[in-house]
Amino acid sequence: MHIDEVVHSWPGRLCCSRFDEETGAFLTIAVDSTQRGPAAGGTRAMVYESFGDAVRDATRLASSMTSKMVAAGLPMGGGKSVIALPVPRAQLEPEVWQRILDRHAENLAMLNGSYFTGPDIGTGPADMDVLHQRCGFAFGRSEQAGGPGSSAPETAHGVYVAVRAAAREAGMPELDGATVVVQGLGAVGMDVARRLAGQGARLVAADVDALACERAADELGARIIGVDDVLGFAGDVFVPCAVGNMVDDVVASGIDTRVVAGAANNVLASDSAARVLSRRGIVYAPDFVANGGGAIHLIGREVLGWGPEKVAAKVEDIAHTLERIFRTARALRISTDEAAHRLVRESLDQAAA
Ligand code: NAD
Ligand code: PPY
């Protein structure tokens, strides 16, 4: 994507980028909003087709973090970091990755607390330990380093709660015997799959990682399908837990489940995809609501001083937020995504007034 398109379509506050010639990494931090408090959102490290694509991902993900904070009732703004790597993280020499983290920490220090980072795709608690030690502006350190540890279990629980709420809305009070298609069997996807299997769901799953597939088949009896067969697979619930931007209008027209609810950020490639799903009677749980468990864990534990029980109760509340969104969508005959954005706008406008 050309950078001009990104600039013209993003209403956020600040986006800063830096190219590190020595490692070939292109680092971006996007701060979407600080209206409710300092911005926060994870650091995503992966390979992008172009630097424009990386900046677009950072800005869209940052906006989504603002909505996530509002929907979860957290007193923070939205931000995100994207590190566009020259090769996949697993192929980087450890010292090259350390240098990239050092550059990232320098950039975070320059923002001086307007933005706090945390884990996302390609980074984890061990990286947050390093960033926190270098600059202090990182959530999600490992428990050994005094942090709250991985956010994946709370994210997974929130997604499970969201799947159940969306299934109820679609007329499926129980998941026993329901066919659930899980895309991505990483830290969150595998955990969600385990929780759904515990409810008697029949699992169908796909991942680009053959080992992850083997684990899901052995441990949970999942039927493994090809990654290209996921989007049109006939089932009851589709649970996207891999990367985002894969449901465009065409994909939305072909999805063959009654529910879409998952962990991936920015599942929808466009606003119109939400309308397509809605017209087809497919219940979509807006991603920034369904995957809010990780943010609730990190901000709850590190900013608000909550214990695990309070965090767990707030994650359960995701069901109530979704029920409110579903009611609004029904009453106003709009998509659930529009209803969720309406809720966010109203809340931000109220705070501004
Ligand atoms: P992860 O990296 O552990 O897992 C992602 C999995 O998706 C990997 O196993 C990967 O091999 C697989 N994958 C990648 N491309 C794929 C494709 N085309 N088809 C099928 N599988 C594919 O990441 P995670 O922590 O499990 O997060 C999953 C998603 O949830 C991400 O989009 C992330 O941004 C989002 N999310 C995570 C958290 C959290 O707390 N971890 C919080 C909110 C949102
Ligand atoms: C996300 O939920 O998408 C994240 O990026 C995780 C996160 C949440 C809150 C602060 C830092 C990271």
Side-chain angles (χ1 to χ4, degrees), residues 267-348:
V267 166
L268 304 176
S270 64
D271 296 341
S272 48
R275 290 192 285 276
V276 175
L277 291 177
S278 169
R279 270 201 300 276
R280 297 185 60 226
I282 296 170
V283 178
Y284 169 64
D287 47 13
F288 60 81
V289 183
N291 71 18
I296 294 169
H297 167 74
L298 295 174
I299 306 301
R301 297 290 297 276
E302 301 210 51
V303 178
L304 302 169
W306 293 348
E309 295 77 19
K310 175 103 186 226
V311 168
K314 292 285 183 185
V315 173
E316 291 288 335
D317 273 349
I318 286 175
H320 302 130
T321 307
L322 284 173
E323 282 156 11
R324 195 172 146 200
I325 287 165
F326 296 150
R327 272 199 305 276
T328 305
R330 259 185 274 123
L332 302 180
R333 294 171 179 273
I334 55 179
S335 74
T336 53
D337 199 51
E338 285 168 284
H341 279 109
R342 218 181 153 97
L343 181 141
V344 168
R345 258 196 323 275
E346 279 169 10
S347 181
L348 286 173

Side-chain angles (χ1 to χ4, degrees), residues 2-255:
H2 195 279
I3 195 79
D4 287 5
E5 277 181 66
V6 180
V7 169
H8 288 125
S9 62
W10 187 58
R13 292 212 63 189
L14 176 79
C15 180
C16 36
S17 297
R18 171 181 187 181
F19 180 63
D20 183 46
E21 203 166 358
E22 197 175 318
T23 57
F26 177 73
L27 303 98
T28 295
I29 298 176
V31 173
D32 179 67
S33 166
T34 52
Q35 190 186 320
R36 292 160 60 87
T43 296
R44 179 169 288 199
M46 54 186 259
V47 175
Y48 285 85
E49 265 182 35
S50 71
F51 292 158
D53 285 353
V55 174
R56 177 174 188 264
D57 211 22
T59 50
R60 288 193 75 220
L61 288 164
S63 300
S64 186
M65 286 306 302
T66 301
S67 303
K68 191 177 307 192
M69 297 299 182
V70 174
L74 298 168
M76 304 292 284
K80 205 85 172 190
S81 304
V82 161
I83 304 179
L85 298 172
V87 295
R89 162 110 197 245
Q91 292 170 25
L92 283 175
E93 294 299 331
E95 57 276 12
V96 174
W97 175 245
Q98 285 310 311
R99 180 180 159 101
I100 293 171
L101 275 185
D102 284 344
R103 295 293 80 81
H104 189 30
E106 287 168 8
N107 300 345
L108 291 167
M110 279 178 130
L111 292 177
N112 197 25
S114 319
Y115 164 73
F116 287 74
T117 197
D120 195 85
I121 295 177
T123 63
D127 303 311
M128 297 309 121
D129 292 351
V130 174
L131 291 175
H132 189 274
Q133 201 193 23
R134 299 272 194 282
C135 70
F137 303 118
F139 298 136
R141 278 169 298 153
S142 64
E143 283 167 319
Q144 301 92 286
S150 169
S151 52
E154 280 76 14
T155 303
H157 188 63
V159 170
Y160 166 73
V161 165
V163 166
R164 298 205 61 178
R168 283 195 297 276
E169 176 70 11
M172 288 185 281
E174 298 301 331
L175 291 172
D176 192 15
T179 300
V180 174
V181 186
V182 182
Q183 180 189 44
L185 295 162
V188 178
M190 184 68 184
D191 194 336
V192 176
R194 207 173 279 123
R195 290 167 201 263
L196 294 170
Q199 292 298 307
R202 276 197 291 244
L203 289 179
V204 175
D207 196 299
V208 287
D209 178 350
L211 265 179
C213 293
E214 215 175 287
R215 216 158 30 106
D218 290 349
E219 192 190 316
L220 306 173
R223 172 180 167 195
I224 302 303
I225 59 170
V227 288
D228 295 333
D229 301 324
V230 170
L231 293 171
F233 196 90
D236 296 301
V237 182
F238 172 46
V239 188
C241 294
V243 288
N245 295 312
M246 73 296 187
V247 180
D248 57 18
D249 289 17
V250 175
V251 170
S253 311
I255 282 181

